[in-house]
Amino acid sequence: ERSIEELNCGLRVVVAEPLNAKVIDILRDIDRWKIGGLAIIGNGDVLVGNLSVSDLKLVVKDDPLSFASLNSTLGEFVKRVRTEFPTSLGTVVSCAEYDTIGNIIRILSTNQLHRLYIVDPNGVLNGVITCEDVLNCLIPFESDRGNTSPPDNHLTSDSY
């Protein structure tokens, strides 16, 4: 079985934000790029987490006054979510470029994930592979949706 790197599968631009980014800016990124979540990076672009639209909805649904937390930093927001909703923002699951497509499918399925971040041996974020990417690798087709990928490797709110 070939690796995702050999298949050129999922090795694409990643929307990522550092822990000191404002939650409101992250919402803007999620809307701007029409994505369901983004990577959270620490020092040296090391992957430290994932924030999804579901995580944001969880907080707002539970406490409508939590809109005030949108002005907090991502680090503060993650700390709050992990305290108030321990089952949300679980362990960071990632893969490497040398992982096979079969292994990626197993990881996505076992962990019930929509996306899997690709990291190097030091945990540095290199890409992302989604369920859609896996399907495109297995059954290639031309997309008529146009290119919605951000222009840089790691796009953050500071990029615009």
Side-chain angles (χ1 to χ4, degrees):
E1 215 177 341
R2 294 170 46 195
S3 72
I4 56 173
E5 181 178 42
E6 293 169 328
L7 293 169
N8 196 25
C9 184
L11 304 177
R12 61 180 173 149
V13 176
V14 181
V15 179
E17 289 286 357
L19 289 166
N20 63 351
K22 294 285 186 183
V23 175
I24 192 73
D25 294 329
I26 292 165
L27 285 173
R28 200 172 298 126
D29 279 352
I30 287 173
D31 180 61
R32 180 180 186 191
W33 301 114
K34 308 294 183 237
I35 56 176
L38 51 74
I40 303 170
I41 51 176
N43 293 335
D45 289 342
V46 171
L47 178 66
V48 296
N50 174 70
L51 184 70
S52 71
V53 172
S54 301
D55 298 321
L56 294 167
K57 285 180 182 176
L58 184 66
V59 173
V60 174
K61 177 183 160 196
D62 186 64
D63 179 10
L65 298 176
S66 65
F67 282 106
S69 68
L70 297 178
N71 199 35
S72 65
T73 66
L74 180 55
E76 295 163 347
F77 185 82
V78 167
K79 197 178 295 183
R80 176 180 172 210
V81 171
R82 285 192 172 139
T83 301
E84 294 179 26
F85 309 97
T87 58
S88 185
L89 295 173
T91 306
V92 179
V93 182
S94 61
C95 67
E97 293 177 352
Y98 55 79
D99 277 313
T100 64
I101 202 75
N103 193 42
I104 298 299
I105 292 169
R106 279 188 288 285
I107 295 170
L108 288 167
S109 176
T110 301
N111 294 285
Q112 299 178 348
L113 299 172
H114 301 284
R115 75 193 64 76
L116 191 57
Y117 293 103
I118 304 165
V119 297
D120 73 8
N122 297 315
V124 174
L125 183 62
N126 282 335
V128 63
I129 186 165
T130 65
C131 294
E132 182 179 350
D133 294 328
V134 170
L135 289 173
N136 287 337
C137 282
L138 297 174
I139 310 167
F141 66 95
E142 287 293 319
S143 173
D144 60 352
R145 291 181 294 166
N147 183 9
T148 59
S149 296
D152 301 308
N153 187 29
H154 292 187
L155 183 76
T156 67
S157 58
D158 296 334
S159 301
Y160 47 91

